[in-house]
């Protein structure tokens, strides 16, 4: 009796231990009758409590499952019979069963030595949910990664930059379309190939030190250039950034490159503009004083010429003409200085080029020696460009005389006018856009230029001529004219093979085009109108006064702006005012104009200046004519007639 109680106590102890296992547990003997189980089995699989007794057959448990539909639809007895037959094989088994409520149970069974088997039941619903969630996350991350790669490709292919990545070798691992196209490749053809193979031996020799430094762990920036198809030179600015791990190892190198061709062109244009601005600052004050002196010289010479017809001075004209010519040459030199320095062209108008260019031969007749053969060819008879005709004429004369000076032993000079249609690449060296232009080419068979001289040819005051024989402003003046006219200029030359200078001018419709003929219509003189002349330089004032008197005007002269204001206020007979702009003191000509407008709003006013024309100090433009010194009596007469009309 005592031994039976001990056995029962041990079974109860074993049952208590099995009830604390978090898995379901069952043992069936060789007759498929229940021998042992735990509470977790019945709670997990929701079996009726009455089945929890030794001797319950396996088929009772199978019938409960089949009745709940856990085996699907079909004949219940057949489903139970098949499972009982399979169980009698006593083979190891492991499978997952998804119950109708979604619970997932892992069933694992192992046979016992004397028949029967022990089975564990594990609820793996949460693990499977986590696994499914993980798989969904992986799938989503994979999709996002693929989408990110697509976005990366889309972005890098559309940013205005060249992007690439290469690994050790160095070998390309990635390149956007712009980068591949830069090296005449495709994205597919560049990946996996060596940088040396893509760049070529000459360029790679230039890039190799920078790549080596980047693989050494240093970011590096550099510039290089290469000749594109068609002969155009393109400049590239690149930055290499090492791809480093946390422990400092370099896995590869990122490449970011930007096309610097336009920036290089802009820097060159800016440097040229700065040189031109420096010339303007240098010559502005000088031109004012020099033009005042020329005004005095030319005014007095013209006054003397008016007296040259008197019997007492029959030979005076022969002596005055050289003086007048020299003074006019000085005025032209100053005008060229100022035209080069300023960025505008106030006299632009449509001009029929063939007519103007055709007159050049006559202008040059006395300037070319017999040892030089000059030819003119006008292939674009109908070409019209919007230019300042005087500046164009001066530019062509400059180019032809430069060609003459390059041929001390004689030779041939040709001037050709033709229409040309330029591609973007061809127009690039002129600094203009592709399109249709008139091209004026001056060619000679002279000494030619070295590359260094050609690069400096447009720099102001640069000259290869002996000191005193050249101003160094010829080609810079032509350059300034071309840019102000919307065109460009380029030089082709080699030492010993002559020079071709191409002047490019944009074509314009021929509506209202002129032949740039001189204006010879007479200008009406004055009829005794009283004019107030304001100029602080007494000699200039005397010359201008004499010119006004010769034109039939009465003149009051003052050198002080305050006095001029008092005269305008008190002398109502004053019909017009002619004032210099640059005067000492608090009030210059522009301020005087402003004050006079307050006192007598309708009083006609004209201004004179020996400096470059431009806006007032406040940025406004004077609403009256401005006479550039030195001016001719004809221009003075036309201006006075205009303001008094």
């Amino acid at each position: 009796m005592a031994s039976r109680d001990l056995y029962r106590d041990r079974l109860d102890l074993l049952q208590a231990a099995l009830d604390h296992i978090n898995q379901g547990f069952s043992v069936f003997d060789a007759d498929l009758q229940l021998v042992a189980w735990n509470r977790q089995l019945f709670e997990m699989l929701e079996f009726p409590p009455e089945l929890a007794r030794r001797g319950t057959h396996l088929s009772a448990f199978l019938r409960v499952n089949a009745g709940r539909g856990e085996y699907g639809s079909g004949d219940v007895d057949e489903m139970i019979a098949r499972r009982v037959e399979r169980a009698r094989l006593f083979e190891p088994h492991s499978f997952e069963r998804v119950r109708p409520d979604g619970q997932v149970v892992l069933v694992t069974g192992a046979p016992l030595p004397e028949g029967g088997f022990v089975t564990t039941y594990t609820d793996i619903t949460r693990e499977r949910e986590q696994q499914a969630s993980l798989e969904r996350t992986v799938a989503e991350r994979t999709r996002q990664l693929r989408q990110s790669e697509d976005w990366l490709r889309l972005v890098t292919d559309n940013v205005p930059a060249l992007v690439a990545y290469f690994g050790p070798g160095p070998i390309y691992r990635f390149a956007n379309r712009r980068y591949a196209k830069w090296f005449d490749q495709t994205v597919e053809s560049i990946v996996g190939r060596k940088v040396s193979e893509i760049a070529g031996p000459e360029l790679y020799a230039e890039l190799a030190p920078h790549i080596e430094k980047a693989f050494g762990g240093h970011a590096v920036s550099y510039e290089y250039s290469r000749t594109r198809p068609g002969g155009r030179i393109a400049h590239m600015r690149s930055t290499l950034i090492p791809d480093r791990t946390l422990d400092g190892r370099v896995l590869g190198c990122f490449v970011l490159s930007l096309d610097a061709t336009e920036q290089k062109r802009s820097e060159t244009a800016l440097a040229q503009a700065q040189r031109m601005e420096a010339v303007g600052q240098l010559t502005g004050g000088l031109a004012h004083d020099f033009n005042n002196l020329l005004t005095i010289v030319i005014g007095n010479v013209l006054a003397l010429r008016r007296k040259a017809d008197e019997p007492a001075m029959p030979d005076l004209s022969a002596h005055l003409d050289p003086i007048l010519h020299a003074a006019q040459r000085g005025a032209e030199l100053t005008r060229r200085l100022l035209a080069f320095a300023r960025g505008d062209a106030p006299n632009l108008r449509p001009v029929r080029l063939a007519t103007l260019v055709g007159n050049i031969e006559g202008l040059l007749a006395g300037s070319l020696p017999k040892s030089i053969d000059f030819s003119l060819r006008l292939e674009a008879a109908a070409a019209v460009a919007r230019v300042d005709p005087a500046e164009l004429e001066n530019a062509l004369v400059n180019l032809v005389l430069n060609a003459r000076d390059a041929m001390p032993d004689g030779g041939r000079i040709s001037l050709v006018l033709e229409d040309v249609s330029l591609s973007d690449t061809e127009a690039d060296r002129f600094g203009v856009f592709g399109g249709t232009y008139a091209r004026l080419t001056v060619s000679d068979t002279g000494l030619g230029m070295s590359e260094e001289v050609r690069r400096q040819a447009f720099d102001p005051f640069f000259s290869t001529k002996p000191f005193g024989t050249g101003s160094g402003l010829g080609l810079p003046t032509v350059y300034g004219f071309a840019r102000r006219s919307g065109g460009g200029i380029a030089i082709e030359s080699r030492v010993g093979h002559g020079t071709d200078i191409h002047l490019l001018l944009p074509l314009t419709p021929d509506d209202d085009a002129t032949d740039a003929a001189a204006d010879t219509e007479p200008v009406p003189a004055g009829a005794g109108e009283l004019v107030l002349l304001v100029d602080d330089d007494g000699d200039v004032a005397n010359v201008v006064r004499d010119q006004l008197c010769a034109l039939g005007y009465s003149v009051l002269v003052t050198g002080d702006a305050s006095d001029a204001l008092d005269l305008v206020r008190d002398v109502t007979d004053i019909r017009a005012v002619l004032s210099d702009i640059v005067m000492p003191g608090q009030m210059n000509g522009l301020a005087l104009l402003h004050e006079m407008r307050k006192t007598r709003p309708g009083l006609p006013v004209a201004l004179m200046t020996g400096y470059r024309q431009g806006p007032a100090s406040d940025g406004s433009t004077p609403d009256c004519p401005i006479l550039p010194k030195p001016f001719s009596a004809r221009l003075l007469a036309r201006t006075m007639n205009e303001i008094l009309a």
Side-chain angles (χ1 to χ4, degrees), residues 253-422:
C253 184
F254 296 99
V255 186
L256 176 64
S257 299
L258 296 173
D259 191 338
T261 305
E262 289 298 327
Q263 183 176 348
K264 286 286 187 182
R265 184 185 300 139
S266 298
E267 289 173 353
T268 302
L270 177 60
Q272 182 69 16
Q274 289 173 336
R275 288 195 293 267
M276 294 172 68
E277 182 180 1
V279 172
Q281 294 172 348
L282 173 68
T283 61
L286 171 66
H288 174 262
D289 294 336
F290 190 48
N291 282 334
N292 277 343
L293 295 176
L294 292 174
T295 299
I296 296 169
V297 173
I298 293 175
N300 281 289
V301 170
L302 291 174
L304 286 173
R305 286 188 66 182
R306 286 194 292 272
K307 300 178 181 180
D309 294 334
E310 297 180 7
M313 294 180 285
D315 299 326
L316 189 58
S317 291
H319 298 286
L320 292 178
D321 286 345
I323 299 174
L324 181 61
H325 182 65
Q328 289 171 337
R329 287 281 302 276
E332 173 61 18
L333 176 60
T334 307
R335 191 191 71 80
R336 287 168 58 192
L337 277 167
L338 294 177
F340 173 75
R342 65 176 177 251
D344 55 357
N347 296 320
L348 291 178
R349 63 178 187 267
V351 172
R352 188 165 290 104
L353 298 178
T355 303
L356 187 146
V357 176
N359 295 331
I360 294 297
E361 192 168 14
L363 292 174
L364 296 169
S367 302
L368 299 178
K370 294 182 179 180
S371 60
I372 292 179
D373 177 29
F374 178 79
S375 63
L376 180 64
R377 195 167 80 247
L378 305 176
E379 296 183 358
V384 174
R386 188 174 179 80
V387 297
D388 182 331
E391 285 195 341
L392 174 56
E393 187 177 87
N394 183 63
L396 294 177
V397 169
N398 257 316
L399 294 178
V400 173
L401 294 184
N402 277 353
R404 175 201 65 185
D405 295 340
M407 298 187 296
D409 299 325
R412 295 187 307 277
I413 299 176
S414 65
L415 172 56
V416 179
L417 168 64
E418 56 188 339
D419 288 343
V420 292
S421 182
L422 301 182

Side-chain angles (χ1 to χ4, degrees), residues 97-235:
R97 181 154 57 85
V98 181
R99 302 186 65 203
D101 62 357
Q103 182 185 32
V104 182
V105 178
L106 174 63
V107 181
T108 303
L112 295 173
E114 296 180 358
F117 51 83
V118 58
T119 306
T120 59
Y121 305 84
T122 307
D123 187 344
I124 60 171
T125 306
R126 187 169 182 178
E127 287 83 345
R128 289 296 174 261
E129 288 176 351
Q130 291 176 342
Q131 181 179 356
S133 176
L134 179 60
E135 290 175 352
R136 287 194 299 271
T137 301
V138 170
E140 177 64 18
R141 295 288 172 83
T142 302
R143 186 190 65 80
Q144 291 176 353
L145 179 60
R146 186 178 296 109
Q147 186 180 54
S148 297
E149 291 175 349
D150 293 341
W151 274 106
L152 176 62
R153 170 64 64 186
L154 179 64
V155 170
T156 56
D157 281 347
N158 286 278
V159 295
L162 281 65
V163 182
Y165 179 91
F166 43 74
I171 295 175
Y172 284 105
R173 300 302 182 193
F174 174 85
N176 70 347
R177 296 192 184 282
R178 290 178 185 269
Y179 192 99
K181 186 177 180 181
W182 168 251
F183 285 107
D184 304 317
Q185 300 289 329
T186 64
V187 171
E188 295 76 17
S189 68
I190 197 172
V191 173
R193 296 171 66 182
K194 291 186 176 181
V195 177
S196 57
E197 179 185 355
I198 298 299
E202 184 176 346
L203 179 57
Y204 184 72
E206 183 180 348
L207 303 181
H210 304 299
I211 296 175
E212 183 178 352
K213 186 176 180 180
F215 272 97
H218 304 282
V220 58
S221 296
Y222 57 93
E223 292 184 5
Y224 67 94
S225 60
R226 64 189 295 258
T227 302
R228 305 293 292 146
R232 175 174 171 267
I233 297 178
H235 302 272

Side-chain angles (χ1 to χ4, degrees), residues 30 34 163 241 462 607:
L34 182 64
V163 182
I241 303 174
F462 173 78
L607 297 176

Side-chain angles (χ1 to χ4, degrees), residues 528-596:
E529 295 93 337
L530 182 60
V531 176
L532 175 60
L533 175 62
V534 188
D535 198 311
D536 62 296
D537 190 317
D539 292 333
V540 173
N542 290 335
V543 169
V544 177
R545 180 198 60 201
D546 291 345
Q547 288 179 314
L548 288 170
C549 290
L551 291 171
Y553 297 100
S554 300
V555 184
L556 279 177
V557 180
T558 181
D560 184 85
S562 298
D563 289 344
L565 274 178
D566 292 338
L567 287 169
V568 167
R569 187 180 301 109
D570 298 336
V571 182
T572 58
D573 289 340
I574 293 177
R575 293 286 309 283
V577 177
L578 180 61
S579 173
D580 193 17
I581 291 181
V582 180
M583 292 187 292
Q586 297 296 319
M587 189 180 301
N588 60 18
L590 298 172
L592 175 62
L593 171 66
H594 182 70
E595 292 299 321
M596 285 190 298

